[in-house]
């Protein structure tokens, strides 16, 4: 829904129906974050799970860029929104693996997390998606805490929109809260339709490709590349702002994690 809306009404339209469609579209990302965490917990083979996500990210990159009229070569039009969100989902899974591995030293985890933030920076939802997965994964088993982290990272994204892009669309980003009642319905059991997961791997790139065809067939629709070009002077500010906020929150998280571990060690001793 959100991708189709961006295609038909690119830019930051303030028409009420466009804002409503974007608001409902905010539901998708947090559901993806949540179920990457669940997938990591339940998978029998995390390596195969990671391979599937990275393969999907690779295929979806071309579908995403075709959909929005963006050159296939990353960073051609700036550091922001250069590929689909699956790229961040896959690296979010890697963050869960890294931070759960007790053999990896804390300073190495910190360096790898900074590196992954940089790698996921150009994707849809930027490194915010990967960091949301990490924090929600660390809070798994405490739904309320998971949802708090969901909204914290949504707020990070919204703050960047508020100061550098559009104040109304900053509020739209907080529409991720609409996913919370839906996620509350999940009881941890597997659904009867066991092929639904496989359907997502087909649906995501397919729907982007179909919207791209629509974009190429309907005259007068401005491509996302054209919209980005008009705001190119803001792209670096937007990008660096997200990275700065992410790194600040990441540093706070690491410091708290190290202190918690030291307290546990003192209690054990």
């Amino acid at each position: 829904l959100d991708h189709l809306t961006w295609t038909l009404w690119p830019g930051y339209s303030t028409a009420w129906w466009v804002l409503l469609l974007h608001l409902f579209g905010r539901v998708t990302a947090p559901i993806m974050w949540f179920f990457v965490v669940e997938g990591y917990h339940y998978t029998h083979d995390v390596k195969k799970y990671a391979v599937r996500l990275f393969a999907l990210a690779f295929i979806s990159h071309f579908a995403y860029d075709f959909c929005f009229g963006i050159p296939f070569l990353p960073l051609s039009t700036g550091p922001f929104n250069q590929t689909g969100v699956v790229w961040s989902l896959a690296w979010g899974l890697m963050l869960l693996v890294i931070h759960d591995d007790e053999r990896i030293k804390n300073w190495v985890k910190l360096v790898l997390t900074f590196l992954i933030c940089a790698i996921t920076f150009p994707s849809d939802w930027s490194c915010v998606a990967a960091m949301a997965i990490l924090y929600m994964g660390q809070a798994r088993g405490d739904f309320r805490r998971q949802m708090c982290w969901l909204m914290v990272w949504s707020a990070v994204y919204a703050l960047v929109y508020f100061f550098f892009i559009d104040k109304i669309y900053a509020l739209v980003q907080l529409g991720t809260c609409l996913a919370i009642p839906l996620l509350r319905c999940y009881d941890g059991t597997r659904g009867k339709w066991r092929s639904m997961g496989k359907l997502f791997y087909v649906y995501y790139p397919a729907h982007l490709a179909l919207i791209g065809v629509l974009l190429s067939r309907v005259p007068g629709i401005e491509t996302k590349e054209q919209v980005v070009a008009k705001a190119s002077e803001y792209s670096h500010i937007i990008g660096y702002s997200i990275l700065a906020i992410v790194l600040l929150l990441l540093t706070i998280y690491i410091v708290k994690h190290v202190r918690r571990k030291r307290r546990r060690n003192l209690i054990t001793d």
Side-chain angles (χ1 to χ4, degrees):
L1 179 62
D2 199 47
H3 291 148
L4 182 61
T5 305
W6 279 118
T7 303
L8 295 176
W9 295 282
Y12 302 100
S13 171
T14 55
W16 69 266
W17 64 87
V18 177
L19 293 173
L20 187 64
L21 290 171
H22 279 307
L23 191 66
F24 287 139
R26 297 300 89 190
V27 170
T28 305
I31 291 176
M32 288 179 170
W33 305 341
F34 183 85
F35 282 104
V36 167
V37 171
E38 289 299 295
Y40 171 65
H41 177 76
Y42 285 111
T43 186
H44 297 296
D45 192 331
V46 71
K47 290 181 180 178
K48 289 183 178 179
Y49 185 29
V51 168
R52 288 197 301 271
L53 277 181
F54 278 110
L56 178 61
F58 178 76
I59 295 169
S60 299
H61 168 73
F62 297 99
Y64 181 89
D65 287 359
F66 171 67
C67 174
F68 293 115
I70 301 170
F72 292 142
L73 184 64
L75 306 179
S76 297
T77 57
F80 203 54
N81 273 352
Q82 297 292 296
T83 191
V85 70
V86 185
W87 180 244
S88 283
L89 300 184
W91 282 107
L93 175 64
M94 290 296 96
L95 282 175
L96 292 176
V97 173
I98 290 167
H99 282 265
D100 274 357
D101 193 335
E102 295 182 354
R103 298 169 300 176
I104 303 176
K105 294 181 179 180
N106 285 328
W107 71 267
V108 177
K109 291 180 180 180
L110 181 61
V111 170
L112 290 175
T113 305
F114 276 104
L115 182 61
I116 289 173
C117 282
I119 292 171
T120 57
F121 189 73
S123 66
D124 189 14
W125 276 98
S126 194
C127 45
V128 166
M131 293 304 297
I133 290 170
L134 172 62
Y135 278 67
M136 291 170 70
Q138 295 289 328
R140 189 182 183 278
D142 186 338
F143 182 79
R144 181 175 295 181
R145 193 158 149 251
Q146 277 188 305
M147 296 303 102
C148 285
W149 281 122
L150 186 158
M151 293 312 302
V152 165
W153 287 104
S154 299
V156 169
Y157 207 59
L159 281 173
V160 175
Y161 263 82
F162 184 84
F163 288 111
F164 300 109
I165 304 177
D166 187 278
K167 290 179 172 58
I168 294 176
Y169 274 76
L171 297 176
V172 169
Q173 306 312 312
L174 299 178
T176 51
C177 66
L178 297 176
I180 296 176
L182 298 175
L183 294 173
R184 170 64 76 179
C185 296
Y186 174 69
D187 61 2
T189 58
R190 190 171 184 176
K192 295 180 179 179
W193 187 15
R194 294 178 178 259
S195 299
M196 182 177 289
K198 296 178 181 177
L199 177 64
F200 170 75
Y201 287 91
V202 176
Y203 168 77
Y204 186 78
H207 93 280
L208 288 170
L210 287 173
I211 294 173
V213 171
L214 172 66
L215 178 65
S216 64
R217 295 292 181 182
V218 179
I221 296 181
E222 194 175 26
T223 67
K224 193 171 184 179
E225 181 185 7
Q226 291 170 322
V227 174
V228 170
K230 290 180 180 179
S232 59
E233 65 271 21
Y234 299 110
S235 61
H236 288 81
I237 297 175
I238 294 166
Y240 294 136
S241 298
I242 287 181
L243 188 59
I245 295 172
V246 166
L247 295 184
L248 175 62
L249 290 174
L250 175 60
T251 303
I252 295 171
Y253 170 80
I254 294 294
V255 169
K256 287 185 176 180
H257 179 76
V258 170
R259 287 178 178 175
R260 195 181 306 122
K261 189 172 181 179
R262 286 177 179 173
R263 282 198 295 267
R264 283 200 299 264
N265 291 337
L266 288 173
I267 294 171
T268 304
D269 295 339

